[in-house]
Amino acid sequence: PTEVLAHWRTRKPAFSLVLRDGTTLVASGDHRFLGVDGWQTVAATEAFPALRALRVGDRLLGFGRNPRQ
């Protein structure tokens, strides 16, 4: 058991991402994922204008096998 030290509520649109193996992730548009080309947001966002939004076919790191292997 762990004591919760901070808790907040937020409301944002949610996006479903389906990985090649069928795994579905749900994340907000400003959630960042590490891809082979660097950090990318789920959707275009004003909060991170320098980061490119994910596109169909992008490869992510940290899920399954390393795409560079």
Side-chain angles (χ1 to χ4, degrees):
T2 302
E3 179 183 358
V4 176
L5 300 176
H7 180 267
W8 62 94
R9 293 181 188 269
T10 185
R11 286 188 166 202
K12 299 179 184 181
F15 295 82
S16 291
L17 292 83
V18 181
L19 305 183
R20 185 181 306 172
D21 70 358
T23 301
T24 300
L25 305 173
V26 178
S28 63
D30 60 356
H31 190 93
R32 293 169 285 170
F33 286 97
L34 183 57
V36 295
D37 297 323
W39 289 101
Q40 298 166 255
T41 56
V42 172
T45 175
E46 293 179 17
F48 300 101
L51 298 181
R52 181 176 69 78
L54 289 171
R55 292 182 237 164
V56 172
D58 281 346
R59 292 175 172 249
L60 302 178
L61 297 178
F63 293 97
R65 185 179 64 81
N66 184 334
R68 293 188 191 259
Q69 291 180 341

